[in-house]
Amino acid sequence: MNILFTCGGTAGHVNPAVALARIFQERNPGCRVLFVGADGGMETRLVPKEGYPIQTVTITNFHRSLAPADIAHNLGTLVNMQKSKKQAQRILDEFQPDLVVGTGGYASFPVVKEAARRHIPTAVHESNAVPGLTTKALSKVVDCVMVGFEESRAHYDNPDKVVVTGTPVRGDFFRYTREEARKQLGIEDNRPLLLSSGDPWARR
């Protein structure tokens, strides 16, 4: 089984994809995993550290300003959209995925959309309560939309596609006691830790 994950832009997009990849490999030891990100994105550094191969597409965002520099940027983005489409086609031809999962970031768009066009099973995951532009656009073409919150269902045009999964986290988060986790972080005193609402320690 070949599974392609596409993500980027922030660690909040990359980490759920890595967690899912680990789960798939634990349950299907023979499955192959490939990541796809954006040229120069932080995912090109984070993903190899987790032991996974990554390929990239050339993709940029749109600026809403009408300033000359922003208009020029947007014209470049239109060119990059065509370039990334061809790159996505090549990656899919070579890897032949059985499943494509996007977890957010602009790099997800050309890869997931092309996979859906080819009728390859596709899914997107959105950790935020309000979907990002990429996830919202792809929700119209994928087979399944995974979300972190039940309240998110109302933001999608086809609620029947939506499955509430929560946000996947790596098993490392659950292998340590609070004291062991503090030592791993190099914190030996009793200073308080500032936790995000998505941090599993915040719910303990």
Side-chain angles (χ1 to χ4, degrees), residues 115-182:
R117 189 187 70 80
R118 297 183 181 202
H119 303 291
I120 298 169
T122 52
V124 289
H125 181 274
E126 177 60 69
S127 296
N128 298 315
V130 178
L133 292 175
T134 301
T135 306
K136 186 69 181 290
L138 289 173
S139 69
K140 302 177 188 301
V141 299
V142 298
D143 299 301
C144 178
V145 178
M146 300 177 286
V147 298
F149 305 93
E150 176 61 40
E151 296 78 6
S152 301
R153 192 184 300 274
H155 292 283
Y156 295 94
D157 295 334
N158 190 346
D160 293 338
K161 283 186 181 181
V162 178
V163 178
V164 181
T165 62
T167 295
V169 295
R170 289 176 290 179
D172 296 349
F173 282 105
F174 304 104
R175 293 192 183 119
Y176 301 108
T177 64
R178 183 180 291 271
E179 291 71 24
E180 290 170 335
R182 292 179 71 92

Side-chain angles (χ1 to χ4, degrees), residues 51-113:
Y52 293 109
I54 185 168
Q55 296 190 33
T56 61
V57 294
T58 304
I59 191 74
T60 47
N61 61 354
F62 283 101
H63 291 177
R64 297 183 181 182
S65 168
L66 296 178
D70 294 310
I71 292 174
H73 173 88
N74 290 342
L75 290 174
T77 293
L78 290 173
V79 172
N80 287 339
M81 286 180 68
Q82 291 303 311
K83 186 174 182 179
S84 65
K85 180 179 179 180
K86 293 179 180 178
Q87 292 169 327
Q89 290 171 343
R90 175 186 55 78
I91 291 169
L92 293 174
D93 286 342
E94 292 175 354
F95 188 63
Q96 293 290 305
D98 299 293
L99 171 66
V100 175
V101 181
T103 57
Y106 292 107
S108 296
F109 186 80
V111 181
V112 175
K113 187 173 182 181

Side-chain angles (χ1 to χ4, degrees), residues 1 15 17 42 45 54 60 65 68 116 138 161 171 201 203:
M1 184 177 189
N15 288 335
M42 68 166 59
R45 301 184 298 278
I54 185 168
T60 47
S65 168
L138 289 173
K161 283 186 181 181
W201 295 107
R203 298 191 295 273

